[in-house]
Amino acid sequence: MFKKILVAVSTSSADSVLAPAIEAARKYDAQVVALHVVDPSPSYIGGADCNFGLIVEAMEAHGHRVVTHVRSVLDTHALPAEVRMVTLPFSGMTVGRAIAAVAEETGADLILLGRRSASRWHWLSEDVAAEVMRHSSQPTQIVSDKPVANPARRGGRRWIDVTAAGTW
């Protein structure tokens, strides 16, 4: 049914959204296209004396670490996969629109997104899922966070080991 599955990974939802993507890829014998979008726009709110170039460089360096982690997880599961990172321009592009554009470019049949984080400041941020659905005709699924089988294992680590989390 699905030949390419685009999975949008963020720094906070990389593992929780990768597990269902891997499961779906195995079920449908599909290729995974993992995408991490770096959005430097929040850094422009800083003070006038900030060096925005250094901030964006740091954000991109962190994005490369996320992409490296995603690549290693996908390699561990021996799936045909492509991993990309996109840095948004200063204006004219949103995270949701970038995800929809990459989905169209790669010919993705399904788009998987992580659940929006609950914060009292959520009204300040973009509703990525709504933006993706507005700019893409592909089916879009929001993946809820799966509970980790051993929560103590998560302490002090940025990412969990998907295979050790009991999702397989």
Side-chain angles (χ1 to χ4, degrees):
M1 182 174 185
F2 300 115
K3 295 295 179 201
K4 275 196 181 175
I5 300 171
L6 176 80
V7 57
V9 294
S10 68
T11 55
S12 62
S13 71
D15 289 320
S16 63
V17 80
L18 268 178
I22 292 168
E23 188 177 316
R26 285 196 174 140
K27 180 178 179 181
Y28 298 112
D29 194 29
Q31 177 186 4
V32 173
V33 178
L35 173 67
H36 178 66
V37 179
V38 176
D39 182 10
S41 62
S43 66
Y44 303 136
I45 298 173
D49 59 347
C50 289
N51 185 337
F52 298 114
L54 287 176
I55 294 171
V56 172
E57 273 183 40
M59 293 174 82
E60 286 179 334
H62 183 69
H64 285 294
R65 287 191 299 273
V66 171
V67 167
T68 301
H69 169 71
V70 168
R71 168 55 63 200
S72 69
V73 169
L74 293 172
D75 285 347
T76 300
H77 293 286
L79 289 171
E82 176 184 344
V83 181
R84 293 183 178 199
M85 184 179 91
V86 173
T87 302
L88 296 183
F90 294 120
S91 65
M93 183 65 81
T94 63
V95 174
R97 186 176 273 175
I99 293 169
V102 171
E104 183 178 331
E105 176 187 326
T106 60
D109 305 309
L110 173 67
I111 302 170
L112 294 178
L113 304 171
R115 184 169 301 284
R116 187 175 184 182
S117 62
S119 157
R120 53 185 184 167
W121 300 106
H122 73 278
W123 55 273
L124 284 173
S125 63
E126 166 193 2
D127 185 353
V128 174
E131 215 32 40
V132 169
M133 288 186 252
R134 186 175 339 188
H135 295 285
S136 176
S137 60
Q138 300 308 327
T140 301
Q141 181 178 354
I142 312 256
V143 178
S144 64
D145 292 339
K146 289 186 176 185
V148 177
N150 184 0
R153 174 158 181 130
R154 199 163 181 194
R157 293 183 59 190
R158 181 70 183 148
W159 293 294
I160 59 170
D161 181 5
V162 178
T163 55
T167 55
W168 308 114

